[in-house]
Amino acid sequence: MSVDTGPKVAPHAERATFDSLDPASGEVLASYLVADRAEVDAAVSRAREASIWWAELGFDGRRSRLATWRRSLARRAEELAELMHQENGKPKADAVLEILLTIEHLAWAAKAAPKVLGPHRVGSGLLAANQASTVEYAPLGVIGVIGPWNYPVYTPMGSIAYALAAGNAVVFKPSEYTPGVGAWLAESFADSVTGPPVFQLVTGLGETGAALCRAKIDKLAFTGSSVTGRKVMAACAQNLTPVLMECGGKDAMIVDDDGDVGAAADAALWGAMSNAGQTCIGIERVYVTERNYDAFVRELTTRAGAVHAGTSYGPITMPSQITIIERHVNEALDAGGRAVVGGRESIRPPFVDPVVLVDVPSDAAANTEETFGPTLTVTKVRDGDEAVEQSNATGYGLAGSVFGKARGMELARRMRTGMTSVNSVIAFATVPQLPFGGVGESGFGRIHGADGLREFTRPKSITHQRFALPVPLTSFRRPAAATGLLLRLIRMQHGR
Ligand code: NAD
């Protein structure tokens, strides 16, 4: 099936454009406009107007409209999956799974928003016993979303769906590698939700993203590399625009003494190689205790024999990434590492076959920098404690996995990451109620779950005085005896 994604630009238009390519063949799929600063500002200004309408619809009004969009996404899932396959290169089954997870999140965000964000009464305490205290979460207004290409639906929608459900308008700048998927999402929203433009798209390269950072938005939700994340923060700092940073990772798996070696090898293979390793929460390192090391490497190499680029997963979407993958593999091998699956010859652009490396020094790039390819290092460790220590020895801290029984939960807690799956990989990403995000170089702030809804709001605290205190404490009418009264109160409340 072929999806008509364009051309989005008339050939005679004297405007800067860029092409979206099929990463497997290099064929041009469609051309898109490079939105300049004025166009980005205009979209944000339209969004500002639309945000008022959207906020005034209230939770119920938004929920019914988001449900209409959700049903449309579900009905047209195959069409979207085909487009994702074309632009990103991922197998259609992976694309369908990504759409399913996205729809689950959209459904949860719209349903949970009233409970999570609506008014909550909180206790007022003795000093303010005459006040009724309420906290609620109001939308920020206009959210700028900048997305990557690796999960072109699931990843940006982690911000878009939650921001919309929380009552904001969104201006979305998709990756220049997957503009068609971004355009499809915005068009499908417009088809489902009539009214002011609550969800708009601006296409372009990095400069268009930079223009969105400098526009009059209320928050910028960025998903992409840590390098670009720094530039986004610097640009947003000009207007004190708050940012949500979902950046890169170097996720590790720990296989403890009592871990199921076969299940761990299977999970490591999927975690490292699926989507050609182009997964922010992909497994790039495995630390296995001495007792299980040989058996794990054996299981992994056997299973890896059935995994091939071009059939099990697609090409490397972004050509420049091949150079990084190649450098990490070469440096690891030059530094004394051994390839037990694949090797230098596995890199045959635009495809990269699975590479599993052992005996790689801990300071090699393959163990410290994000590779973002179908490669994996496996390292022998004394025990679970050393595994945690080595897992935590990078600046990144996105997610991870632990295979073990007795110490599974303990080791998971000690990983310095935002998410960990025990006895599976990336399971946390499938649970809408679980917040998603990292620490350190992996960023900050959260999408998904109640935290992900609150991320796109401002807490609003209100006290409502029900009766006047017999002794006015915050008034110039305060009696002289108030000092003694307050001192007694301090001793009574806190002095015992
Ligand atoms: P990237 O940083 O190259 O680009 C991301 C987006 O930023 C693109 O839309 C790009 O056009 C835009 N951009 C580039 N320069 C900009 C600038 N100066 N100002 C504003 N925007 C600019 O990342 P990528 O290659 O598209 O994505 C891969 C990276 O994303 C990996 O590091 C991966 O780990 C990370 N990622 C993280 C998560 C997460 O949730 N933490 C999810 C998916 C991907």
Side-chain angles (χ1 to χ4, degrees):
M1 185 167 90
S2 162
V3 178
D4 178 19
T5 63
K8 301 292 171 195
V9 182
H12 61 272
E14 287 181 6
R15 288 287 316 277
T17 64
F18 67 102
D19 294 333
S20 163
L21 307 178
D22 176 333
S25 65
E27 177 203 342
V28 175
L29 295 169
S31 296
Y32 294 84
L33 283 176
V34 174
D36 60 19
R37 178 128 191 221
E39 282 160 326
V40 171
D41 285 345
V44 169
S45 150
R46 286 192 297 274
R48 173 79 48 211
E49 288 282 306
S51 72
I52 297 165
W53 170 73
W54 188 244
E56 283 176 355
L57 283 178
F59 291 117
D60 288 346
R62 291 194 291 269
R63 186 175 164 179
S64 65
R65 284 164 177 82
L66 290 173
T68 308
W69 187 32
R70 170 170 56 83
R71 284 191 290 272
S72 159
L73 290 174
R75 277 195 303 270
R76 297 174 62 193
E78 198 177 356
E79 186 188 322
L80 177 57
E82 179 60 31
L83 180 53
M84 291 158 77
H85 167 67
Q86 283 176 18
E87 269 199 328
N88 166 285
K90 65 180 65 195
K92 232 170 116 178
D94 286 356
V96 172
L97 180 60
E98 182 177 337
I99 296 167
L100 170 62
L101 294 181
T102 306
I103 293 177
E104 290 278 319
H105 276 282
L106 175 60
W108 186 84
K111 181 163 172 256
K115 191 154 179 260
V116 173
L117 306 177
H120 289 69
R121 282 286 291 272
V122 296
S124 297
L126 189 65
L127 261 189
N130 61 331
Q131 306 285 345
S133 300
T134 306
V135 60
E136 57 199 62
Y137 294 85
L140 290 171
V142 180
I143 309 296
V145 176
I146 297 179
W149 46 265
N150 59 337
Y151 289 86
V153 172
Y154 175 82
T155 289
M157 282 288 282
S159 295
I160 295 165
Y162 284 74
L164 289 172
N168 302 279
V170 168
V171 177
F172 173 37
K173 205 302 267 175
S175 166
E176 52 272 43
Y177 291 93
T178 51
V181 172
W184 192 99
L185 286 174
E187 281 163 20
S188 77
F189 182 89
D191 287 346
S192 304
V193 181
T194 48
V198 171
F199 173 25
Q200 295 173 81
L201 186 85
V202 287
T203 51
L205 313 177
E207 259 312 298
T208 302
L212 186 55
C213 296
R214 288 192 290 262
K216 289 202 172 92
I217 52 174
D218 299 293
K219 186 157 193 168
L220 192 288
F222 171 77
T223 309
S225 64
S226 308
V227 172
T228 309
R230 285 186 171 78
K231 294 183 195 163
V232 165
M233 278 186 77
C236 287
Q238 299 301 313
N239 292 327
L240 275 187
T241 300
V243 291
L244 161 67
M245 285 282 137
E246 295 285 351
C247 301
K250 187 72 188 170
D251 289 357
M253 173 185 286
I254 293 173
V255 186
D256 201 9
D257 280 346
D258 57 358
D260 179 331
V261 171
D266 194 70
L269 199 58
W270 172 265
M273 312 301 170
S274 59
N275 208 35
Q278 306 168 117
T279 303
C280 54
I281 49 173
I283 300 294
E284 300 208 352
R285 303 172 289 152
V286 186
Y287 297 100
V288 192
T289 56
E290 283 163 356
R291 182 187 294 181
N292 282 331
Y293 180 81
D294 291 339
F296 178 84
V297 172
R298 218 172 24 245
E299 285 276 351
L300 185 63
T301 45
T302 309
R303 286 162 198 259
V307 178
H308 305 285
T311 47
S312 313
Y313 55 79
I316 300 302
T317 310
M318 190 168 66
S320 59
Q321 198 65 28
I322 304 254
T323 318
I324 295 171
I325 299 168
E326 200 159 34
R327 174 167 65 79
H328 288 193
V329 171
N330 286 339
E331 277 182 22
L333 294 174
D334 293 345
R338 283 186 302 120
V340 292
V341 174
R344 298 180 210 261
E345 70 285 359
S346 304
I347 300 162
R348 42 182 190 91
F351 293 98
V352 178
D353 282 310
V355 180
V356 177
L357 302 161
V358 298
D359 302 334
V360 178
S362 59
D363 61 352
N367 272 329
T368 58
E369 295 173 25
E370 185 179 52
T371 308
F372 228 52
T375 70
L376 187 64
T377 65
V378 184
T379 303
K380 191 192 292 184
V381 289
R382 198 180 55 247
D383 54 17
D385 297 310
E386 192 190 347
V388 168
E389 203 176 297
Q390 297 228 29
S391 298
N392 291 346
T394 76
Y396 290 110
L398 193 52
S401 163
V402 175
F403 275 78
K405 295 188 183 76
R407 301 183 67 194
M409 287 299 284
E410 178 216 327
L411 297 176
R413 289 198 175 97
R414 285 170 55 194
M415 275 184 142
R416 183 182 164 271
T417 61
M419 298 84 66
T420 300
S421 300
V422 179
N423 295 334
S424 69
V425 274
I426 65 175
F428 50 79
T430 66
V431 181
Q433 296 211 45
L434 286 178
F436 183 111
V439 293
E441 293 271 318
S442 296
F444 51 84
R446 293 294 181 265
I447 53 171
H448 302 171
D451 297 83
L453 281 166
R454 289 195 194 107
E455 191 73 41
F456 299 104
T457 61
R458 69 188 152 85
K460 176 77 187 179
S461 302
I462 302 175
T463 55
H464 185 173
Q465 181 159 308
R466 294 177 304 177
F467 57 88
L469 285 178
V471 181
L473 295 176
T474 52
S475 163
F476 291 110
R477 293 184 292 106
R478 188 169 60 196
T483 311
L485 185 72
L486 285 170
L487 283 170
R488 275 203 303 285
L489 192 66
I490 289 176
R491 281 194 290 271
M492 202 172 78
Q493 281 285 86
H494 302 290
R496 288 180 291 187

